[in-house]
Amino acid sequence: MFGFFKKNKEDKNMILKSPVIGRCFDISEIPDEVFSSKMLGDGIGFESTEGILYSPVDGEILQVFPTKHALILKSKEGIEILLHIGIDTVDMKGEGFEALVEKGQQVKTGDKLLTFDNDLIKARAKTNLSVLVLTENEITESVDFKLGTVDKSSEVITIKLK
């Protein structure tokens, strides 16, 4: 009779949209052991066809790396997300990257975060394959991935929160 006072567990899901237009794939396919072995946390691999990184969630930018190849954002639910473009792109020292956001900035799902030159990355770095890593935290109960061809409105990760 008083079931309406119970919390609905279905309400505790968080959806992440694709950070790119292109494709999302299993993180184990990234040619870098730190990411593929999930040392930093679970996530997805992605490859952009247009060289634009979009925000997968509403949240706050915690850090934009000085070389602009990566950033960390925190969702409004408290999940920290690392977005890293390519492998060994730190060696490019920011060449071919443009940050469109800065530390402390609030962003909405689908906002442009970074632009990058895919051709330059393919020529100068190990690969343009990139990662979205969910840093380890205590509020995640389970994570489900939907992989394949994506655009910025595609739901690619569902997180069940505790």
Side-chain angles (χ1 to χ4, degrees):
M1 180 169 140
F2 295 101
F4 60 90
F5 288 115
K6 292 181 183 175
K7 287 196 173 193
N8 183 349
K9 289 217 176 227
E10 306 267 332
D11 293 340
K12 296 180 100 177
N13 283 348
M14 178 181 151
I15 305 292
L16 277 73
K17 302 287 181 110
S18 175
V20 297
I21 294 173
R23 71 181 180 102
C24 289
F25 52 90
D26 192 279
I27 198 168
S28 66
E29 296 177 40
I30 294 291
D32 183 290
E33 189 177 356
V34 171
F35 295 122
S36 64
S37 67
K38 303 178 186 177
M39 281 185 210
L40 300 177
D42 205 353
I44 57 170
F46 62 87
E47 184 174 26
S48 173
T49 56
E50 65 172 2
I52 299 173
L53 183 69
Y54 299 96
S55 181
V57 294
D58 293 350
E60 178 183 354
I61 303 298
L62 296 182
Q63 179 180 3
V64 177
F65 286 64
T67 50
K68 303 177 192 110
H69 74 288
L71 60 81
I72 299 172
L73 64 96
K74 186 173 191 174
S75 74
K76 61 183 177 155
E77 295 84 359
I79 303 287
E80 287 189 15
I81 301 162
L82 168 67
L83 294 158
H84 189 285
I85 306 299
I87 302 300
D88 295 341
T89 46
V90 67
D91 298 334
M92 294 174 63
K93 297 179 171 67
E95 185 181 354
F97 296 89
E98 181 184 358
L100 306 174
V101 294
E102 58 189 34
K103 180 179 178 175
Q105 185 173 337
Q106 297 294 314
V107 294
K108 296 284 187 195
T109 304
D111 285 354
K112 291 181 183 180
L113 304 175
L114 300 171
T115 60
F116 50 96
D117 185 331
N118 257 326
D119 293 331
L120 185 63
I121 293 170
K122 287 176 186 176
R124 303 254 320 270
K126 185 173 183 177
T127 181
N128 73 322
L129 298 181
S130 304
V131 294
L132 179 157
V133 176
L134 304 167
T135 58
E136 296 299 328
N137 62 71
E138 304 81 44
I139 64 172
T140 300
E141 187 172 307
S142 64
V143 182
D144 182 48
F145 302 99
K146 296 179 188 112
L147 309 176
T149 302
V150 294
D151 62 37
K152 68 180 187 169
S153 67
S154 299
E155 295 181 359
V156 293
I157 302 175
T158 302
I159 299 173
K160 186 174 184 180
L161 302 171
K162 290 182 181 175

